Amino acid sequence: MASGILLGLGSVFYLLLSNWRIGNIDDGIQGVTFMTGIFIGGTLFTNYIFKDFADKNSSTSFLLTPASHFEKLLSGSFYSLIIFPLVFMALFFLMDYFFITMANTIHQDLSVTKNLEIPEWEKNTSFFSQLSEKSDVFIGPILGSWFITQAFMVLGTITFSRWAYIKTGFVGFAIMLVVGIISNYVFDGMISGLAEQAESNNILYPKIMPTVEILRDITIFILKYIFTPLLLLIAYFKLKEKQV
């Protein structure tokens, strides 16, 4: 059912936001559809997997399941963090290929069969090809952001008893805002202080000074690859706190 809903919503995006008169699909539509589906759909799916904690009776049945807390968390996380993105990407790339082929066929029919010249048009390319060409720019940030978002949703769904999705989203947005503001002030202060120290000691600035970009890259690396297992570890202990 969820797969059908994803395909239906994605098809609506493509059909309504593309110029089918000339067979043109904007690259932005593909990116927006993919990012919206994998993040919003993924968090909703994660919330559904662990939704039993929103109701006392359901959470009791979940906790009485003859399995350890680690097995329960591992099972839910497996479907949320691994199975969902694989299924989603398979469905999306299949849908994208279908609409790209259809759009290119429409344009070829207009420009060749009917001898109509449509200016400023380039052949539509699949989103998979776009990701492959810019894998270092897209895939790393997408995967890192995906895992930390899902891990945070797992923790939020286990922690909050009611309206877990909304509460987790609000807390996550607030944390990102605070971290972004604080990091900018902290990084600027660190850079300014080290620059003054280097200048007073007659030390060549570029050789000892990190840049703001380097500090931000380090922060993003920590958030993506250290906070994800940390959040899942906290979720495990929160799960162990639950009493039948």
Side-chain angles (χ1 to χ4, degrees):
M1 291 176 62
S3 300
I5 292 173
L6 289 173
L7 281 174
L9 291 175
S11 299
V12 169
F13 269 75
Y14 275 80
L15 290 172
L16 296 182
L17 301 179
S18 301
N19 190 347
W20 292 103
R21 292 182 304 169
I22 60 173
N24 183 32
I25 295 180
D26 188 4
D27 293 343
I29 296 173
Q30 296 170 277
V32 169
T33 305
F34 180 82
M35 298 299 290
T36 301
I38 196 168
F39 278 94
I40 295 182
T43 51
L44 286 171
F45 183 77
T46 299
N47 180 258
Y48 177 80
I49 289 291
F50 294 96
K51 69 181 177 63
D52 287 339
F53 293 104
D55 180 76
K56 184 176 181 180
N57 294 329
S58 298
S59 61
T60 300
S61 300
F62 186 89
L63 293 170
L64 285 173
T65 302
S68 67
H69 292 297
F70 178 74
E71 290 173 323
K72 295 172 185 175
L73 179 64
L74 185 64
S75 177
S77 300
F78 173 74
Y79 282 98
S80 175
L81 274 70
I82 298 177
I83 296 299
F84 174 85
L86 292 178
V87 172
F88 173 82
M89 286 189 288
L91 292 174
F92 179 84
F93 291 141
L94 180 64
M95 177 188 65
D96 182 65
Y97 177 79
F98 171 78
F99 282 108
I100 289 295
T101 303
M102 185 169 64
N104 288 335
T105 301
I106 291 174
H107 179 79
Q108 184 177 8
D109 180 65
L110 291 173
S111 59
V112 178
T113 305
K114 297 183 179 180
N115 296 320
L116 295 178
E117 294 185 1
I118 303 175
E120 299 182 359
W121 183 90
E122 295 181 359
K123 185 177 180 180
N124 298 292
T125 57
S126 67
F127 192 66
F128 181 81
S129 300
Q130 298 174 31
L131 288 178
S132 301
E133 293 174 358
K134 301 180 180 180
S135 59
D136 56 334
V137 178
F138 287 112
I139 296 179
I142 290 175
L143 285 178
S145 303
W146 157 259
F147 281 114
I148 192 171
T149 302
Q150 292 299 95
F152 190 78
M153 182 55 65
V154 170
L155 175 59
T157 306
I158 293 176
T159 302
F160 299 115
S161 58
R162 299 185 63 183
W163 302 100
Y165 187 84
I166 297 176
K167 292 178 180 178
T168 304
F170 178 79
V171 172
F173 176 78
I175 290 175
M176 288 192 302
L177 184 62
V178 171
V179 170
I181 294 175
I182 293 178
S183 62
N184 283 332
Y185 281 107
V186 171
F187 293 160
D188 290 341
M190 289 176 59
I191 296 298
S192 300
L194 289 174
E196 292 176 0
Q197 184 178 2
E199 185 177 354
S200 62
N201 294 327
N202 295 322
I203 302 175
L204 187 59
Y205 175 84
K207 290 186 177 180
I208 68 167
M209 277 294 298
T211 62
V212 174
E213 288 73 18
I214 291 176
L215 293 177
R216 286 176 180 168
D217 290 341
I218 293 173
T219 303
I220 294 173
F221 178 86
I222 293 173
L223 288 175
K224 290 193 299 186
Y225 302 109
I226 296 180
F227 267 60
T228 298
L230 180 61
L231 288 172
L232 292 177
L233 180 63
I234 297 174
Y236 168 71
F237 285 109
K238 292 294 294 184
L239 185 60
K240 289 190 67 174
E241 292 177 2
K242 301 288 183 178
Q243 300 296 326
V244 178

